[in-house]
Amino acid sequence: MSTLKYLASLTNNQEFLSRRPRILIVDDQVINIQTLYQIFADDHEVFMATSGQKALEFCRQTPPDLLLLDVMMPDMDGLEVCKRLKQEELTADIPVLFVTAQNDAEEESRALMAGGMDFISKPVNPDVVRARVKTQITLKLQHDLLKQLVFTDPLTGLANRRSFDNSYDKEWRHCQRYSKSVAILMIDIDCFKQYNDHYGHQQGDVCLSAVAACLDANFRRPHDVVARYGGEEFICIMSECELSAAVSKAEALLEAIIAQAIPHITSRVRDIVTLSIGVAATVPGNQQDKAALIAAADEKLYAAKQAGRNQVGA
C-alpha cells in the first residue's frame, strides 16, 4: 500500500471522522471558562480546570487535543504549566494557546518561549479564537496521523519495527528500574512460503492481517506491545511478566490461531495456519544488553520449529 493510500485510509476511518476535538480550558475565573465554553461547546468536547495543577493532572490522564490556558493564575501560572507539559513525553505534543488580559510584546515572547503555539488577548473575539483553535487542532490531527504512519505497519495495523524498538527501550528501562521481569515472544507463521506459493501473495497479505488481528486481540495489558518484526514474523513485549506467564500467553496464542481455522493445505504441520513461538524472559541488569533477550527468544523459536512447529519453545 502506498503512503498516500495508507494516509487516506486513516483519515477515512469512521472513528477519526466522528470524534469531536477535545479542548481543555484552564482559568481560575469561572466567568472566563464559561465564555470560552459557550464558543466551543457545540463542536468540541470541552473540559475545564481552575488551576495549573488540575490541568497537569487532567493532561496526564486524558490528553486533550488543545489547551486554552490562562497566563495569570494564583497557584501555578500558565507559563509554568506549559513548560511542564512540554517536558513530559505524554503531553509534549499538546498545542497550547495562551489566553490573557496582558497584551504586550514581552508577554507574548515569554508565552511563545514557554512552548505556546499562539497568543489570544482577553476579552476574546469569538471569530478570532475559533479560527486560531481550528488551525491548531488541524495541525495537531495531521501530526497525529503522520506519527501513526511512521510507527504503524501499513499492512497489519500493528506497531512496526521502529515503534517496537522505542517501546522495548522504554519497557526495558522500566523493568530495570523496578527489578521486574520482561519477556519477549518471537512468533513465526509456520510454512508461510508454501502458503504464498499456493494461495498467492495477495491472499498471503490477507493471512498476515488475520494473524495480526488475532494476536492483537489477545493482548490487553496497557504495556504489552505486539509488532510486526518482518515478513511473517511478529514480536511481543510483555513488561513485568515472568517466564511462566509469558509461556502461558504463548500457548494461548497457539490455540487462538488454531481457532481461526485459516486454511493452509500445503502446510507440513496441519491443514490450517499454525504458529511457532519462542519465549525468553529476564530481569534486566545494569550490564545486560537488551538485544540478548531478543536473540534468546529467537533461539527458542528456532528450537520450536526444529521440534516440529505449532509449539512454544522456552
Side-chain angles (χ1 to χ4, degrees):
M1 183 184 294
S2 72
T3 298
L4 289 177
K5 286 183 178 179
Y6 180 54
L7 189 56
S9 74
L10 292 177
T11 56
N12 287 330
N13 181 276
Q14 191 62 37
E15 181 180 353
F16 171 81
L17 290 173
S18 62
R19 185 176 72 83
R20 297 199 300 168
R22 296 160 49 87
I23 294 177
L24 176 63
I25 301 171
V26 187
D27 199 305
D28 61 314
Q29 299 296 318
V30 175
I31 186 64
N32 294 330
I33 290 177
Q34 290 174 339
T35 299
L36 290 167
Y37 178 86
Q38 290 172 0
I39 293 172
F40 293 106
D42 289 342
D43 303 314
H44 302 74
E45 287 189 71
V46 182
F47 303 87
M48 294 155 276
T50 55
S51 72
Q53 189 59 48
K54 289 180 180 178
L56 290 174
E57 292 171 0
F58 182 93
C59 290
R60 289 163 180 157
Q61 293 174 4
T62 52
D65 295 307
L66 180 138
L67 251 69
L68 288 169
L69 178 60
D70 186 28
V71 174
M72 302 301 294
M73 292 186 293
D75 65 328
M76 181 190 305
D77 67 30
L79 300 180
E80 181 62 25
V81 172
C82 187
K83 289 176 183 176
R84 294 194 186 187
L85 290 173
K86 298 305 174 183
Q87 290 171 356
E88 298 184 22
E89 182 180 357
L90 181 65
T91 58
D93 291 335
I94 301 172
V96 175
L97 272 65
F98 284 106
V99 185
T100 179
Q102 301 295 322
N103 189 15
D104 60 72
E106 185 178 350
E107 180 76 12
E108 183 173 355
S109 178
R110 285 199 298 268
L112 296 176
M113 289 293 291
M117 301 300 294
D118 209 340
F119 187 90
I120 300 170
S121 299
K122 297 178 184 178
V124 298
N125 179 309
D127 291 335
V128 170
V129 73
R130 281 195 196 97
R132 293 187 177 181
V133 165
K134 181 179 180 180
T135 296
Q136 293 303 326
I137 286 181
T138 299
L139 292 172
K140 172 66 162 54
L141 293 178
Q142 290 173 346
H143 171 81
D144 290 347
L145 286 171
L146 290 171
K147 187 175 180 180
Q148 186 174 358
L149 179 63
V150 169
F151 290 105
T152 303
D153 175 59
L155 175 64
T156 64
L158 295 179
N160 62 14
R161 182 72 173 267
R162 177 184 294 184
S163 180
F164 166 79
D165 289 341
N166 289 346
S167 297
Y168 185 35
D169 183 64
K170 182 173 66 175
E171 296 305 328
W172 179 273
R173 286 186 281 108
H174 169 81
C175 290
Q176 187 178 60
R177 184 179 304 117
Y178 295 103
S179 299
K180 300 289 186 179
S181 177
V182 59
I184 291 289
L185 280 63
M186 289 290 294
I187 303 169
D188 188 76
I189 301 176
D190 292 327
C191 307
F192 192 67
K193 181 182 183 302
Q194 289 80 3
Y195 187 98
N196 273 335
D197 290 344
H198 180 77
Y199 294 98
H201 288 278
Q202 286 188 328
Q203 191 59 36
D205 287 349
V206 173
C207 176
L208 283 168
S209 296
V211 170
C214 183
L215 294 176
D216 190 44
N218 279 273
F219 285 89
R220 287 287 174 244
R221 299 191 316 161
H223 295 292
D224 291 341
V225 177
V226 188
R228 188 179 180 193
Y229 204 60
E232 70 272 21
E233 278 195 331
F234 302 89
I235 190 166
C236 306
I237 312 165
M238 298 188 70
S239 185
E240 298 191 25
C241 182
E242 301 290 338
L243 179 63
S244 58
V247 169
S248 295
K249 172 60 71 174
E251 291 171 344
L253 293 176
L254 295 185
E255 295 301 319
I257 291 296
I258 288 173
Q260 297 292 307
I262 303 169
H264 188 356
I265 61 174
T266 56
S267 172
R268 296 196 294 270
V269 185
R270 295 182 59 168
D271 60 356
I272 58 175
V273 168
T274 58
L275 302 177
S276 295
I277 305 178
V279 184
T282 191
V283 177
N286 292 330
Q287 304 302 318
Q288 280 181 287
D289 179 6
K290 59 180 181 290
L293 182 59
I294 296 177
D298 200 39
E299 289 179 5
K300 298 298 183 182
L301 170 62
Y302 180 78
K305 296 178 82 67
Q306 288 296 107
R309 299 182 172 86
N310 189 31
Q311 58 188 278
V312 176

